[in-house]
Amino acid sequence: MGWEALGQWGEDAVRIEPLTGGVANDVWSVRACGRIAVGRLGSRTDADLAWETELLQHLDREGMTVPVPIPTTDGRLFVDGLVVMKYTKGRPPETTSDWRRVADTLRELHRLTQGWPQRPGWKSSTDLLHAETGTRIDLTAMPPEGVIRCRAAWSRLIGRQTCVVHGNPNNPGNIRITVDRVALIDWDEAHVDVPDLDLALPENAADLADDAFDIASQASAAWEAAVCWKDEYSVKRLAEVRSV
C-alpha cells in the first residue's frame, strides 16, 4: 500500500516534506489527526513493529520522552509498514553536560526494560558468539578475521544482565534535548542486549571506569561494524576493534 496507508490516520492526513536521518526507512513530516507528526515507512514485519510500538508506549507511560505512536482512526498503531509518531522537538547534544544527561536517560531506559523480550528476529551481541545471522547482521558476509575480533569483543559481555538498548545513541541526530528533558528518537536498531553497548558515549559521559569503558567501546564498535556491514562507516568501526 505504501504511503497510501496514511489515509488510515484520517481523510486530511498528508505528507509535508522528507526528513533526513532515515537509512532503512522513508521518513517524512506529516499532518495527521490535526497535528504535525512524523511518518515512517519501512519493510519491517508486523511482529517487529508491534514490539517497537509496545515498547514506546511502555516508556511513555513510565515518563520517558519518546516518539509515541499515534493510532489510526480505528486504533491501529501501524499499517503496512507505516507508523505515525508524535513530533519530538529539541536539539542534538553539544556539550559534555548534554551527553551526561543522555547517559542518565539511557540508564533509565535500561532500568525500565529489564526482562523485556527480544525483538523478533534479532540476536544479542552474546547470541552472535554462536549464531551467524540476526535481522540486519550477517557475519558470513564479513572477513573471517574480523568476525573473530568482533566475537572476542562481545565475549567480554558474557554473563551480564540484559535489557532494551537503543542501539545507536552515539548519533547526535537520534537525541533531542530541551531545558527540561532528553528524548531518544529513531528506535530502528533497538533490541535486547547488554546495556554497555549504549554507554560508550563521547567523552565517556557515562563515567565508566577505564576497563568498563574499554569493554563497552570495543563491543559497541564490533556491533556497529556488524550491523552496518559493508559501508564505509562499518569498515572504519571494524578497524577500531582490536585483535586479541
Side-chain angles (χ1 to χ4, degrees), residues 1 27 33 40-41 56 64 72 78 110 143 187 196 200 204 224 227:
M1 183 179 289
V27 184
C33 303
R40 189 193 74 193
L41 179 65
L56 294 174
M64 292 191 67
T72 63
F78 51 87
H110 302 157
W187 292 76
D196 304 55
N204 190 16
E224 292 187 353
V227 82

Side-chain angles (χ1 to χ4, degrees), residues 123 126-134 139 151:
K123 296 286 193 296
T126 51
D127 289 335
L128 291 167
L129 294 176
H130 307 288
E132 293 189 326
T133 61
L139 296 182
R151 283 176 163 162

Side-chain angles (χ1 to χ4, degrees), residues 16 19 55 58 60 65 78 102-103 142 145 175 189 210-211 214 219 231 234 242:
I16 300 174
L19 299 175
L55 170 68
H58 167 70
D60 176 63
T65 304
F78 51 87
V102 173
M142 298 179 68
E145 186 272 338
I175 313 294
E189 294 184 19
D210 289 347
D211 186 57
D214 182 68
D231 62 16
S234 67
R242 296 191 304 272

Side-chain angles (χ1 to χ4, degrees), residues 46-149:
D46 285 356
D48 184 284
L49 294 176
W51 183 94
E52 181 182 356
T53 52
E54 181 181 350
L55 170 68
L56 294 174
Q57 288 184 316
H58 167 70
L59 297 176
D60 176 63
R61 288 192 298 266
E62 294 294 332
M64 292 191 67
T65 304
V66 294
V68 184
I70 299 171
T72 63
T73 55
D74 62 1
R76 289 175 290 171
L77 297 180
F78 51 87
V79 178
D80 293 332
L82 179 62
V83 183
V84 175
M85 299 164 283
K86 291 182 179 179
Y87 178 75
T88 306
K89 296 181 179 179
R91 60 171 176 81
E94 299 170 347
T95 66
T96 300
S97 177
D98 287 343
W99 282 109
R100 285 176 179 155
R101 292 175 63 197
V102 173
D104 290 342
T105 301
L106 289 166
R107 285 190 165 114
E108 180 68 358
L109 162 67
H110 302 157
R111 183 186 70 82
L112 291 170
T113 58
Q114 293 177 17
W116 202 264
Q118 181 61 279
R119 192 169 193 156
W122 282 73
K123 296 286 193 296
S124 70
S125 53
T126 51
D127 289 335
L128 291 167
L129 294 176
H130 307 288
E132 293 189 326
T133 61
T135 309
R136 290 174 57 186
I137 289 179
D138 181 1
L139 296 182
T140 65
M142 298 179 68
E145 186 272 338
V147 174
I148 291 171
R149 283 189 282 139

Side-chain angles (χ1 to χ4, degrees), residues 9-21:
W9 278 263
E11 294 181 357
D12 61 344
V14 294
R15 282 190 289 172
I16 300 174
E17 60 182 357
L19 299 175
T20 60

